[in-house]
């Protein structure tokens, strides 16, 4: 069989976790999100802040911390209202469960991602002294060949109980058919469940200053074998959400995020304009 393959987390999951740590280590207070757990698990080289994808990407870093904070605010709000299931589709090195032990103990958390990323994450959490509680469920899925929905149900997810579902950093890599299918699956959740899903605007709809960075990202993603596949206008997503039967549809733009989290900052930290959110109910 040859040598055992080295299990490594997805590059995107690592980059996102490092951006969250870089925010705490280099941006002015108040921090939008305090999250250095992924950084601890990765234990990067001393010169990690000099990586080009760390050094020249301040606006992307701002977007990532805003998106994480936004999702967590929604999840916390729903859990406070008594929702007992939280699903993270494309969980990466998210550490909600580790940072919010009191809230997260009240809810079953299902983290869905590639098998290698989750295996690595679980090992590193244990190595770093984090216990894996019984209500934290890792749901490994090879998205190319198996259904995240079936795997989620296999892990004990209760379709009859309300849930909150987040999906960030995923739609870029899926075809429009796969995204439509994912949204249709969301409509099978118990009535009154909440979904929050990130989408990406096409290049021509970005602010001028974000275009060069996005062009670089598109090239980089293609070169590393995980090309960006799907971009949408806000109108397209609203239509799609209506078509599959979601309710109380809202979209949250970069400008909304800026209003929400970046007012009165002293360090000129502002999010890049590429990502927007669909928030809806079943």
């Amino acid at each position: 069989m040859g040598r055992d393959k080295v299990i490594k987390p997805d590059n995107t999951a690592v980059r996102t976790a490092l951006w969250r740590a870089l925010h705490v280590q280099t941006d002015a207070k108040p921090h939008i999100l305090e999250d250095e757990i992924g950084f601890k698990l990765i234990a990067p080289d001393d010169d990690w802040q000099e990586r080009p994808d760390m050094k020249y990407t301040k606006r992307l870093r701002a977007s990532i911390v805003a998106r994480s904070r936004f999702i967590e605010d929604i999840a916390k709000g729903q859990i406070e209202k008594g929702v007992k299931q939280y699903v993270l589709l494309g969980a990466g090195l998210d550490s909600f469960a580790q940072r919010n032990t009191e809230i997260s103990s009240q809810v079953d958390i299902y983290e869905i991602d590639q098998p290698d990323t989750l295996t690595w994450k679980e090992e590193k959490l244990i190595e770093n002294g984090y216990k894996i509680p019984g209500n934290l469920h890792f749901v490994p899925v090879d998205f190319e060949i198996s259904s995240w929905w079936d795997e989620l149900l296999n892990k004990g997810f209760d379709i009859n109980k309300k849930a909150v579902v987040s999906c960030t950093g995923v739609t870029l890599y899926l075809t429009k058919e796969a995204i439509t299918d994912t949204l249709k699956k969301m409509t099978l959740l118990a009535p009154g469940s909440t979904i929050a899903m990130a989408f990406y605007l096409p290049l021509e709809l970005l602010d001028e200053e974000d275009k060069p960075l996005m062009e670089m990202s598109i090239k980089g993603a293609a070169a590393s074998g995980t090309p960006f596949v799907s971009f949408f206008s806000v109108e397209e997503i609203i239509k799609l959400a209506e078509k599959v039967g979601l309710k109380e549809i809202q979209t949250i733009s970069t400008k909304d995020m800026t209003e929400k989290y970046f007012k009165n900052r002293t360090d000129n930290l502002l999010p890049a304009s590429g990502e927007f959110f669909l928030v809806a109910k079943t």
Side-chain angles (χ1 to χ4, degrees):
M1 282 296 287
R3 287 179 308 207
D4 288 347
K5 94 181 171 81
V6 178
I7 289 190
K8 288 197 329 215
D10 176 76
N11 283 336
T12 316
V14 169
R15 185 180 305 125
T16 307
L18 291 180
W19 273 333
R20 292 197 289 256
L22 193 58
H23 173 58
V24 177
Q25 294 176 20
T26 59
D27 294 326
K29 290 182 170 169
H31 296 132
I32 292 159
L33 187 83
E34 296 268 351
D35 179 11
E36 293 184 278
I37 289 179
F39 171 75
K40 267 189 214 159
L41 306 189
I42 297 159
D45 296 335
D46 288 347
D47 62 351
W48 70 279
Q49 293 190 10
E50 296 302 308
R51 286 169 44 160
D53 62 354
M54 293 294 127
K55 209 171 174 176
Y56 306 111
T57 50
K58 187 175 178 182
R59 285 166 67 86
L60 288 178
R61 172 169 88 240
S63 298
I64 290 294
V65 292
R67 132 179 139 184
S68 301
R69 168 69 186 274
F70 176 67
I71 288 289
E72 291 200 4
D73 286 351
I74 289 177
K76 285 174 179 171
Q78 290 303 306
I79 294 164
E80 278 160 16
K81 287 182 181 160
V83 168
K84 294 286 183 227
Q85 301 185 108
Y86 177 24
V87 178
L88 292 90
L89 190 51
L93 303 185
D94 185 275
S95 60
F96 178 84
Q98 289 77 37
R99 285 177 291 109
N100 300 282
T101 46
E102 199 174 310
I103 297 175
S104 64
S105 65
Q106 304 164 30
V107 59
D108 274 296
I109 296 175
Y110 296 89
E111 295 195 3
I112 304 175
D113 214 317
Q114 318 264 6
D116 280 6
T117 297
L118 291 181
T119 302
W120 181 91
K121 181 179 185 177
E122 188 167 6
E123 281 173 12
K124 291 290 176 190
L125 281 169
I126 293 163
E127 260 174 48
N128 282 272
Y130 294 100
K131 293 194 167 52
I132 311 289
N135 62 324
L136 175 57
H137 313 276
F138 293 114
V139 186
V141 178
D142 183 336
F143 293 96
E144 301 296 313
I145 55 174
S146 56
S147 151
W148 64 271
W149 182 255
D150 294 344
E151 299 296 340
L152 178 62
L153 296 180
N154 288 341
K155 288 282 179 176
F157 179 81
D158 187 343
I159 197 167
N160 301 308
K161 282 187 189 158
K162 274 190 216 177
V164 56
V165 180
S166 78
C167 178
T168 57
V170 173
T171 59
L172 257 184
Y173 304 98
L174 299 178
T175 61
K176 296 199 175 185
E177 293 73 37
I179 291 165
T180 305
D181 181 63
T182 297
L183 284 170
K184 282 183 180 154
K185 293 282 194 294
M186 302 285 185
T187 64
L188 304 174
L189 297 164
S193 294
T194 304
I195 70 160
M197 204 167 184
F199 292 92
Y200 297 83
L201 295 168
L203 202 55
E204 65 272 14
L205 296 180
L206 299 191
D207 295 349
E208 273 316 308
E209 65 189 297
D210 291 320
K211 284 180 181 172
L213 203 56
M214 192 54 172
E215 282 173 338
M216 253 169 52
S217 301
I218 290 171
K219 283 194 183 112
S224 68
T226 49
F228 296 161
V229 180
S230 293
F231 297 91
F232 294 88
S233 70
V234 173
E235 295 70 32
E236 276 182 282
I237 285 304
I238 292 172
K239 272 199 189 118
L240 184 54
E242 287 171 346
K243 193 174 139 193
V244 301
L246 290 165
K247 305 182 176 90
E248 293 179 44
I249 296 163
Q250 293 171 286
T251 55
I252 313 293
S253 67
T254 303
K255 288 194 173 51
D256 299 328
M257 286 290 195
T258 304
E259 273 296 293
K260 221 170 165 56
Y261 300 122
F262 294 88
K263 276 178 131 169
N264 309 322
R265 288 193 67 85
T266 56
D267 58 359
N268 199 21
L269 185 69
L270 285 170
S273 60
E275 189 173 52
F276 67 96
F277 276 90
L278 166 72
V279 180
K281 294 271 191 196
T282 54

